């Protein structure tokens, strides 16, 4: 009735957590970064991100979460960013939200319908597809940078191996503007599913050019960490 007990047990990952904590501390002082948490399915990417989000909250920051979905389920463009921004839009005071969005409100309203509802703004009309896409990405980048000036932000984008093209393009665009922003982006993906032909592979080649890019690789726990995990799960001392 209370859910899986193991979800409340977290062990190990000290070095990886330190890396994420240090990146957020730097973001608080205006040194934004892009961190990629990488590992096989079930290795603990989400749990690590949850720990990092908790640390950010304790330091006065705010975590926004967006997910990518397998092909054939949800396929809306920019979906991971839409999810992350939607939670912020719904919680923010309308006047403050209007200030955060600035002149890009009508652009962001094209993909986040809650902006239209809360601020009574109309989404911009489509003209040239490439120009529309560029204006949208500029508006989102400005919005996130402005929001992070008020409160340092962590944006977690889960399962980038399933990301749509729009999400990857948006991530690349925002990542180029992290310098001077109080913003840390954390992406997760399964490296075992990303070969040279995978769409994410080409995007990663571009993202690695960002000076603030770092990779956090997760591998299996040590025997001592497994013992600690089993003890935490069972509530009893488990022999080594």
């Amino acid at each position: 009735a209370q859910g899986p007990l193991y979800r409340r047990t977290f062990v190990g990952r000290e070095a990886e957590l330190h890396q994420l904590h240090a990146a957020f501390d730097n973001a608080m002082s205006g040194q934004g970064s892009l961190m990629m948490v990488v590992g096989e399915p079930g290795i603990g990417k989400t749990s690590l991100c949850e720990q990092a989000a908790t640390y950010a909250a304790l330091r006065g920051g705010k975590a926004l979460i967006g997910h990518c979905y397998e092909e054939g389920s949800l396929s809306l463009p920019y979906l991971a960013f839409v999810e992350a921004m939607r939670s912020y839009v719904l919680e923010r005071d309308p006047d403050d939200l209007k200030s955060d969005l600035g002149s890009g409100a009508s652009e962001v309203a094209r993909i986040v319908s809650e902006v239209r509802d809360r601020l009574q703004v109309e989404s911009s009309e489509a003209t040239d597809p490439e120009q529309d896409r560029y204006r949208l990405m500029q508006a989102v980048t400005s919005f996130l940078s402005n929001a992070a000036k008020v409160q340092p932000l962590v944006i977690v984008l889960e399962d980038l191996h399933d990301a749509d093209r729009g999400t990857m393009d948006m991530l690349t665009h925002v990542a180029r503007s992290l310098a001077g922003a109080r913003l840390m982006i954390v992406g997760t993906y399964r490296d075992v599913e990303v070969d040279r032909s995978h769409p994410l592979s080409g995007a990663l080649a571009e993202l690695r050019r960002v000076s603030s890019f770092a990779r956090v690789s997760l591998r299996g726990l040590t025997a001592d960490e497994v013992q600690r995990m089993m003890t935490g799960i069972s509530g009893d001392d488990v022999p080594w």
Side-chain angles (χ1 to χ4, degrees):
Q2 296 179 359
L5 184 59
Y6 71 83
R7 291 177 186 264
R8 297 194 296 273
T9 301
F10 186 87
V11 301
R13 312 302 191 200
E14 285 86 1
E16 294 85 354
L17 272 175
H18 177 75
Q19 193 174 354
L20 291 176
H21 291 175
F24 180 74
D25 290 341
N26 289 336
M28 289 187 67
S29 61
Q31 302 175 51
S33 61
L34 171 61
M35 313 293 288
M36 285 292 180
V37 178
V38 183
E40 64 186 43
I43 200 68
K45 298 183 294 296
T46 296
S47 294
L48 183 70
C49 290
E50 289 173 349
Q51 296 293 317
T54 299
Y55 177 81
L58 292 173
R59 296 276 285 152
K62 184 177 183 61
L64 307 176
I65 316 296
H67 300 84
C68 303
Y69 299 90
E70 294 182 11
E71 186 176 359
S73 52
L74 293 174
S75 58
L76 297 174
Y78 313 108
L79 184 54
F81 277 94
V82 171
E83 279 192 0
M85 291 188 293
R86 177 178 289 138
S87 61
Y88 182 89
V89 168
L90 290 173
E91 295 175 6
R92 192 79 165 130
D93 176 82
D95 289 337
D96 293 332
L97 177 62
K98 187 175 182 180
S99 176
D100 294 339
L101 287 163
S103 60
S106 61
E107 299 295 336
V108 179
R110 288 166 46 194
I111 60 174
V112 184
S113 60
E114 287 77 6
V115 172
R116 297 195 300 268
D117 299 336
R118 301 208 70 204
L119 300 186
Q120 304 301 309
V121 299
E122 296 295 330
S123 56
S124 60
E125 295 184 3
T127 54
D128 177 81
E130 285 302 309
Q131 291 184 9
D132 291 343
R133 194 166 69 98
Y134 178 76
R135 285 199 303 269
L136 172 63
M137 292 185 180
Q138 283 289 89
V140 168
T141 299
S142 177
F143 172 41
L144 295 176
S145 296
N146 290 341
K149 291 176 183 177
V150 179
Q151 185 177 22
L153 293 181
V154 176
I155 298 180
V156 180
L157 304 175
E158 290 266 27
D159 298 327
L160 287 173
H161 51 273
D162 288 324
D164 61 273
R165 174 63 184 275
T167 292
M168 290 310 308
D169 288 346
M170 184 73 76
L171 174 59
T172 302
H173 192 91
V174 174
R176 295 194 188 107
S177 302
L178 287 173
R182 299 206 302 167
L183 175 64
M184 180 172 82
I185 300 178
V186 182
T188 74
Y189 70 91
R190 301 172 181 174
D191 52 351
V192 295
E193 296 186 15
V194 179
D195 56 23
R196 291 185 178 181
S197 63
H198 195 284
L200 179 56
S201 181
L204 286 172
E206 180 71 21
L207 290 169
R208 288 190 186 99
R209 300 176 186 175
V210 178
S211 60
S212 57
F213 177 92
R215 176 184 167 105
V216 182
S217 297
L218 297 185
R219 297 295 178 257
L221 299 174
T222 66
D224 288 335
E225 289 168 344
V226 172
Q227 182 191 27
R228 286 164 52 196
M229 181 182 69
M230 295 300 295
T231 297
I233 290 172
S234 66
D236 298 319
D237 290 333
V238 175
W240 192 91

